Amino acid sequence: MKKLLASGAAFALLLALTSCASDTPTISGNPGGGETGSSASAAASTPSPTPTDNRMAAFGQTATFPDGVAIKVDFSGWVAATPAASGAVEGRIATFTVTVTNGSKKEWAGTLMGIPDVRVGPSLTPAEIAIDEGTDHFLTTVMPGESQSAKLGYGITAADSGQVRLEFMPVDFIGTSVIFQGELAAPTVIVVTG
């Protein structure tokens, strides 16, 4: 009886490990996609995630889940905040372009992809969403074979720009989340004139 229980427990553990491994995204592409110039070189200088951690990607890479849904995050640069902006820090907003491609056979609700968990700095402090002209944090239903993009904005200080991570929940809310991380190009000084 003990052998049977031990075999059953070992089988359950193997099944659990297999199912966990099967929902892990595959990371592809070269890091450093997005804004050109110093931003690209800053992103490229960020250490690539280790091959043993498949849920970590650098900005510019693509994470593809086993069902075929792929997410790509590019740092799109710093933009000056307008007077109507909400959540801007130091007069600017860090922007990211999130592109979701549905390679699966069913439609997918993309609404929550526009609201990842964003953390910054050495202590991984939560960053606030910044809303202004040109930012939109929402995707709609992504049909099979379709791609959609959204431009996300966050209030990130220059001091915290050296370590930024965006974590997206798994597509089915059951599997593994994926984390995009990197260093943002140093923001330029923005002068706001009246």
Side-chain angles (χ1 to χ4, degrees), residues 52-112:
T52 56
D53 194 350
N54 290 337
R55 63 186 227 132
M56 303 290 282
F59 297 134
Q61 292 186 308
T62 301
T64 305
F65 288 90
D67 67 356
V69 175
I71 304 168
K72 183 179 183 192
V73 177
D74 290 307
F75 173 58
S76 301
W78 300 91
V79 297
T82 69
S86 170
V89 174
E90 298 170 350
R92 66 184 154 257
I93 296 171
T95 60
F96 302 85
T97 300
V98 174
T99 303
V100 176
T101 302
N102 187 353
S104 73
K105 296 182 180 178
K106 60 183 181 181
E107 63 182 58
W108 181 74
T111 306
L112 293 179

Coordinates of all heavy atoms in Angstrom, one line a residue, residues 52-112:
T52 N 17.9 29.4 -18.0 CA 17.1 28.5 -17.2 C 15.8 29.1 -16.7 O 15.0 28.5 -16.1 CB 18.0 28.1 -16.0 OG1 18.4 29.3 -15.3 CG2 19.2 27.3 -16.4
D53 N 15.6 30.4 -16.9 CA 14.4 31.1 -16.5 C 13.7 31.6 -17.7 O 13.8 32.7 -18.1 CB 14.8 32.3 -15.5 CG 13.5 32.8 -14.8 OD1 12.4 32.3 -15.1 OD2 13.7 33.6 -13.8
N54 N 12.8 30.7 -18.2 CA 12.1 31.0 -19.4 C 11.0 32.1 -19.3 O 10.4 32.4 -20.3 CB 11.4 29.7 -20.0 CG 12.5 28.8 -20.5 OD1 13.6 29.2 -20.8 ND2 12.2 27.5 -20.6
R55 N 10.7 32.5 -18.1 CA 9.7 33.5 -17.9 C 10.2 34.9 -17.9 O 9.5 35.9 -17.8 CB 8.8 33.3 -16.7 CG 9.5 33.3 -15.4 CD 8.6 32.9 -14.3 NE 8.7 33.8 -13.2 CZ 7.7 34.4 -12.6 NH1 6.5 34.1 -12.9 NH2 7.9 35.3 -11.6
M56 N 11.5 35.1 -18.1 CA 12.2 36.4 -18.1 C 12.6 36.8 -19.5 O 13.2 36.0 -20.1 CB 13.4 36.4 -17.2 CG 13.1 36.0 -15.7 SD 12.2 37.2 -14.8 CE 13.5 38.4 -14.4
A57 N 12.2 38.0 -19.9 CA 12.6 38.5 -21.2 C 13.1 39.9 -21.1 O 12.8 40.6 -20.1 CB 11.4 38.4 -22.2
A58 N 13.9 40.3 -22.0 CA 14.4 41.7 -22.1 C 13.5 42.5 -23.0 O 12.8 41.9 -23.8 CB 15.8 41.7 -22.6
F59 N 13.5 43.8 -22.8 CA 12.7 44.6 -23.7 C 13.2 44.4 -25.1 O 14.4 44.3 -25.4 CB 12.9 46.1 -23.4 CG 12.3 46.5 -22.0 CD1 13.1 47.3 -21.1 CD2 11.1 46.0 -21.5 CE1 12.6 47.6 -19.8 CE2 10.6 46.3 -20.3 CZ 11.4 47.1 -19.4
G60 N 12.2 44.3 -26.1 CA 12.6 44.0 -27.4 C 12.4 42.5 -27.8 O 12.4 42.2 -29.0
Q61 N 12.3 41.6 -26.8 CA 12.1 40.2 -27.1 C 10.6 39.9 -27.1 O 9.8 40.7 -26.7 CB 12.8 39.4 -26.0 CG 14.3 39.5 -26.1 CD 15.0 38.5 -25.2 OE1 14.8 38.5 -24.0 NE2 15.9 37.7 -25.7
T62 N 10.3 38.7 -27.5 CA 8.9 38.2 -27.6 C 8.8 37.0 -26.7 O 9.6 36.1 -26.8 CB 8.5 37.9 -29.0 OG1 8.7 39.0 -29.8 CG2 7.1 37.4 -29.1
A63 N 7.7 36.9 -25.9 CA 7.4 35.7 -25.1 C 6.1 35.1 -25.8 O 5.1 35.7 -25.9 CB 7.1 36.1 -23.7
T64 N 6.3 33.8 -26.2 CA 5.2 33.1 -26.8 C 4.7 32.0 -25.9 O 5.5 31.1 -25.6 CB 5.6 32.6 -28.2 OG1 6.1 33.6 -29.0 CG2 4.4 31.9 -28.9
F65 N 3.5 32.0 -25.5 CA 2.9 31.0 -24.7 C 2.6 29.7 -25.6 O 2.4 29.9 -26.8 CB 1.6 31.5 -24.0 CG 1.9 32.5 -22.9 CD1 2.0 33.8 -23.2 CD2 2.2 32.0 -21.6 CE1 2.3 34.7 -22.2 CE2 2.5 32.9 -20.6 CZ 2.5 34.3 -20.9
P66 N 2.5 28.6 -24.9 CA 2.3 27.3 -25.7 C 1.0 27.4 -26.6 O 0.9 26.7 -27.6 CB 2.1 26.2 -24.6 CG 3.0 26.8 -23.5 CD 2.7 28.3 -23.5
D67 N 0.0 28.2 -26.2 CA -1.2 28.2 -27.0 C -1.0 29.1 -28.3 O -1.9 29.2 -29.1 CB -2.4 28.7 -26.2 CG -2.3 30.1 -25.7 OD1 -1.3 30.7 -26.0 OD2 -3.3 30.6 -25.1
G68 N 0.1 29.8 -28.4 CA 0.4 30.6 -29.6 C 0.2 32.1 -29.4 O 0.5 32.9 -30.3
V69 N -0.2 32.5 -28.2 CA -0.4 33.9 -27.9 C 1.0 34.5 -27.6 O 1.7 33.9 -26.7 CB -1.4 34.2 -26.8 CG1 -1.4 35.7 -26.4 CG2 -2.8 33.7 -27.1
A70 N 1.4 35.6 -28.3 CA 2.8 36.1 -28.1 C 2.6 37.6 -27.6 O 1.8 38.3 -28.0 CB 3.5 36.1 -29.4
I71 N 3.6 38.0 -26.7 CA 3.6 39.3 -26.2 C 5.0 39.9 -26.4 O 6.0 39.2 -26.1 CB 3.3 39.3 -24.7 CG1 2.0 38.7 -24.3 CG2 3.4 40.7 -24.1 CD1 1.8 38.4 -22.9
K72 N 5.1 41.1 -26.9 CA 6.4 41.8 -27.1 C 6.3 43.1 -26.4 O 5.3 43.8 -26.5 CB 6.7 41.9 -28.6 CG 8.0 42.6 -28.8 CD 8.3 42.7 -30.3 CE 9.7 43.3 -30.4 NZ 10.0 43.8 -31.8
V73 N 7.3 43.5 -25.7 CA 7.4 44.8 -25.1 C 8.6 45.6 -25.5 O 9.7 45.0 -25.5 CB 7.4 44.7 -23.5 CG1 7.6 46.0 -22.9 CG2 6.2 43.9 -23.0
D74 N 8.4 46.8 -26.0 CA 9.5 47.7 -26.4 C 9.4 48.9 -25.6 O 8.3 49.5 -25.4 CB 9.4 48.1 -27.9 CG 9.7 46.9 -28.8 OD1 10.7 46.3 -28.7 OD2 8.8 46.6 -29.7
F75 N 10.6 49.4 -25.2 CA 10.6 50.7 -24.5 C 10.5 51.7 -25.7 O 11.3 51.7 -26.6 CB 11.9 50.9 -23.7 CG 12.1 52.3 -23.2 CD1 11.2 52.9 -22.4 CD2 13.2 53.1 -23.6 CE1 11.3 54.1 -21.9 CE2 13.4 54.3 -23.1 CZ 12.4 54.9 -22.2
S76 N 9.5 52.6 -25.6 CA 9.3 53.6 -26.7 C 9.8 55.0 -26.4 O 9.6 55.9 -27.2 CB 7.7 53.7 -26.9 OG 7.2 52.4 -27.2
G77 N 10.4 55.2 -25.3 CA 11.0 56.5 -25.0 C 10.3 57.3 -23.9 O 9.3 56.9 -23.4
W78 N 10.9 58.4 -23.6 CA 10.4 59.3 -22.6 C 9.7 60.4 -23.3 O 10.1 60.9 -24.3 CB 11.5 60.0 -21.8 CG 12.4 59.0 -21.0 CD1 13.5 58.3 -21.5 CD2 12.1 58.5 -19.7 NE1 14.0 57.5 -20.5 CE2 13.2 57.6 -19.4 CE3 11.1 58.8 -18.7 CZ2 13.2 56.9 -18.2 CZ3 11.2 58.1 -17.5 CH2 12.3 57.2 -17.2
V79 N 8.5 60.8 -22.9 CA 7.8 61.9 -23.5 C 7.5 62.9 -22.4 O 7.2 62.6 -21.2 CB 6.4 61.4 -24.2 CG1 6.7 60.5 -25.3 CG2 5.5 60.8 -23.2
A80 N 7.5 64.2 -22.9 CA 7.1 65.3 -22.0 C 5.6 65.2 -21.6 O 4.8 65.0 -22.5 CB 7.5 66.6 -22.6
A81 N 5.3 65.4 -20.4 CA 3.9 65.4 -19.9 C 3.3 66.7 -20.3 O 3.9 67.8 -20.1 CB 3.9 65.1 -18.4
T82 N 2.0 66.6 -20.7 CA 1.2 67.8 -20.9 C 0.6 68.2 -19.6 O 0.6 67.5 -18.6 CB 0.1 67.6 -22.0 OG1 -0.9 66.7 -21.4 CG2 0.6 67.0 -23.3
P83 N 0.1 69.5 -19.5 CA -0.6 69.9 -18.3 C -1.7 69.0 -17.9 O -2.1 68.9 -16.7 CB -1.1 71.3 -18.6 CG -0.1 71.8 -19.7 CD 0.2 70.6 -20.5
A84 N -2.3 68.3 -18.8 CA -3.5 67.4 -18.5 C -3.1 66.0 -18.0 O -3.9 65.2 -17.7 CB -4.4 67.3 -19.7
A85 N -1.8 65.7 -18.0 CA -1.3 64.4 -17.7 C -1.6 64.0 -16.3 O -1.7 64.8 -15.4 CB 0.2 64.3 -17.9
S86 N -1.8 62.7 -16.1 CA -2.0 62.1 -14.7 C -0.9 61.1 -14.5 O -0.7 60.2 -15.4 CB -3.4 61.5 -14.7 OG -3.5 60.8 -13.5
G87 N -0.2 61.1 -13.4 CA 0.8 60.1 -13.1 C 2.2 60.4 -13.6 O 3.1 59.6 -13.4
A88 N 2.4 61.5 -14.2 CA 3.8 61.8 -14.7 C 4.7 62.1 -13.5 O 4.2 62.5 -12.5 CB 3.7 63.0 -15.7
V89 N 6.0 61.8 -13.7 CA 7.0 62.1 -12.7 C 8.1 62.9 -13.3 O 8.5 62.6 -14.4 CB 7.5 60.7 -12.1 CG1 8.6 61.0 -11.2 CG2 6.4 60.0 -11.5
E90 N 8.5 63.9 -12.6 CA 9.6 64.7 -13.1 C 9.3 65.4 -14.5 O 10.2 65.6 -15.3 CB 11.0 64.0 -13.1 CG 11.4 63.5 -11.7 CD 12.6 62.5 -11.8 OE1 12.9 62.0 -12.9 OE2 13.1 62.2 -10.7
G91 N 8.0 65.6 -14.7 CA 7.6 66.2 -16.0 C 7.6 65.4 -17.2 O 7.5 65.8 -18.3
R92 N 7.8 64.0 -17.0 CA 7.8 63.1 -18.2 C 7.2 61.8 -17.8 O 6.9 61.5 -16.7 CB 9.3 62.9 -18.6 CG 10.1 62.2 -17.6 CD 11.6 62.2 -18.0 NE 12.4 62.0 -16.8 CZ 13.1 63.0 -16.3 NH1 13.1 64.2 -16.8 NH2 13.8 62.8 -15.2
I93 N 7.0 61.0 -18.9 CA 6.4 59.7 -18.8 C 7.2 58.7 -19.6 O 7.7 59.0 -20.7 CB 4.9 59.7 -19.4 CG1 4.0 60.7 -18.6 CG2 4.3 58.3 -19.5 CD1 2.7 60.9 -19.2
A94 N 7.5 57.6 -19.0 CA 8.2 56.5 -19.7 C 7.1 55.7 -20.4 O 6.1 55.3 -19.9 CB 8.9 55.6 -18.7
T95 N 7.3 55.5 -21.7 CA 6.3 54.8 -22.5 C 6.9 53.5 -23.1 O 8.1 53.3 -23.4 CB 5.9 55.7 -23.7 OG1 7.0 56.0 -24.6 CG2 5.2 57.0 -23.2
F96 N 6.0 52.5 -23.2 CA 6.3 51.2 -23.7 C 5.2 50.8 -24.7 O 4.0 51.1 -24.5 CB 6.2 50.2 -22.5 CG 7.2 50.5 -21.4 CD1 6.8 51.4 -20.4 CD2 8.4 49.9 -21.4 CE1 7.7 51.7 -19.4 CE2 9.3 50.2 -20.3 CZ 8.9 51.1 -19.3
T97 N 5.6 50.1 -25.7 CA 4.7 49.6 -26.7 C 4.5 48.1 -26.4 O 5.5 47.4 -26.5 CB 5.1 49.8 -28.1 OG1 5.2 51.2 -28.3 CG2 4.1 49.3 -29.1
V98 N 3.3 47.7 -26.2 CA 3.0 46.2 -25.9 C 2.3 45.7 -27.2 O 1.3 46.3 -27.5 CB 2.2 46.0 -24.7 CG1 1.8 44.6 -24.5 CG2 3.0 46.5 -23.4
T99 N 2.8 44.7 -27.8 CA 2.1 44.1 -29.0 C 1.8 42.7 -28.6 O 2.6 41.9 -28.2 CB 3.1 44.1 -30.2 OG1 3.5 45.5 -30.4 CG2 2.4 43.6 -31.4
V100 N 0.5 42.4 -28.8 CA 0.0 41.0 -28.6 C -0.4 40.4 -29.9 O -1.2 41.0 -30.7 CB -1.2 41.0 -27.6 CG1 -1.8 39.6 -27.4 CG2 -0.8 41.6 -26.3
T101 N 0.1 39.2 -30.2 CA -0.3 38.5 -31.4 C -0.9 37.2 -31.0 O -0.4 36.4 -30.3 CB 1.0 38.2 -32.3 OG1 1.6 39.5 -32.6 CG2 0.6 37.5 -33.6
N102 N -2.1 37.0 -31.6 CA -2.9 35.8 -31.2 C -2.7 34.7 -32.3 O -3.3 34.7 -33.3 CB -4.4 36.1 -31.1 CG -5.2 35.0 -30.6 OD1 -4.7 33.9 -30.4 ND2 -6.5 35.2 -30.4
G103 N -1.7 33.8 -31.9 CA -1.5 32.7 -32.8 C -2.3 31.5 -32.4 O -2.0 30.4 -32.9
S104 N -3.2 31.6 -31.5 CA -4.0 30.5 -31.1 C -5.2 30.3 -32.0 O -5.4 31.1 -32.9 CB -4.5 30.7 -29.6 OG -5.5 31.6 -29.6
K105 N -6.1 29.4 -31.7 CA -7.2 29.1 -32.5 C -8.5 29.7 -32.0 O -9.6 29.5 -32.5 CB -7.4 27.6 -32.7 CG -6.3 27.0 -33.5 CD -6.4 25.5 -33.7 CE -5.2 25.0 -34.5 NZ -5.3 23.6 -34.7
K106 N -8.4 30.4 -30.8 CA -9.6 31.0 -30.3 C -9.3 32.5 -30.0 O -8.2 32.9 -29.9 CB -10.0 30.3 -29.0 CG -9.0 30.3 -27.9 CD -9.5 29.4 -26.7 CE -8.4 29.5 -25.6 NZ -8.8 28.7 -24.5
E107 N -10.4 33.3 -29.9 CA -10.3 34.7 -29.6 C -9.8 34.9 -28.2 O -10.0 34.0 -27.3 CB -11.6 35.4 -29.8 CG -12.7 35.0 -29.0 CD -14.0 35.8 -29.3 OE1 -14.4 35.7 -30.5 OE2 -14.5 36.4 -28.4
W108 N -9.2 36.0 -27.9 CA -8.6 36.2 -26.6 C -8.9 37.6 -26.1 O -8.7 38.6 -26.9 CB -7.1 36.0 -26.8 CG -6.3 36.1 -25.5 CD1 -6.3 35.2 -24.4 CD2 -5.5 37.2 -25.2 NE1 -5.5 35.7 -23.5 CE2 -5.0 36.9 -23.9 CE3 -5.1 38.4 -25.8 CZ2 -4.1 37.8 -23.2 CZ3 -4.3 39.2 -25.2 CH2 -3.8 39.0 -23.9
A109 N -9.3 37.7 -24.9 CA -9.6 39.0 -24.3 C -8.3 39.7 -23.9 O -7.7 39.3 -22.9 CB -10.5 38.9 -23.1
G110 N -7.9 40.8 -24.6 CA -6.7 41.4 -24.4 C -6.7 42.6 -23.4 O -5.7 43.2 -23.2
T111 N -7.8 42.8 -22.8 CA -8.0 44.0 -21.9 C -6.9 44.1 -20.8 O -6.3 45.2 -20.6 CB -9.4 44.0 -21.3 OG1 -10.4 43.9 -22.3 CG2 -9.6 45.3 -20.5
L112 N -6.7 43.0 -20.1 CA -5.7 43.1 -19.0 C -4.3 43.2 -19.4 O -3.4 43.5 -18.5 CB -6.0 42.0 -18.0 CG -7.3 42.0 -17.3 CD1 -7.4 40.8 -16.4 CD2 -7.5 43.2 -16.5

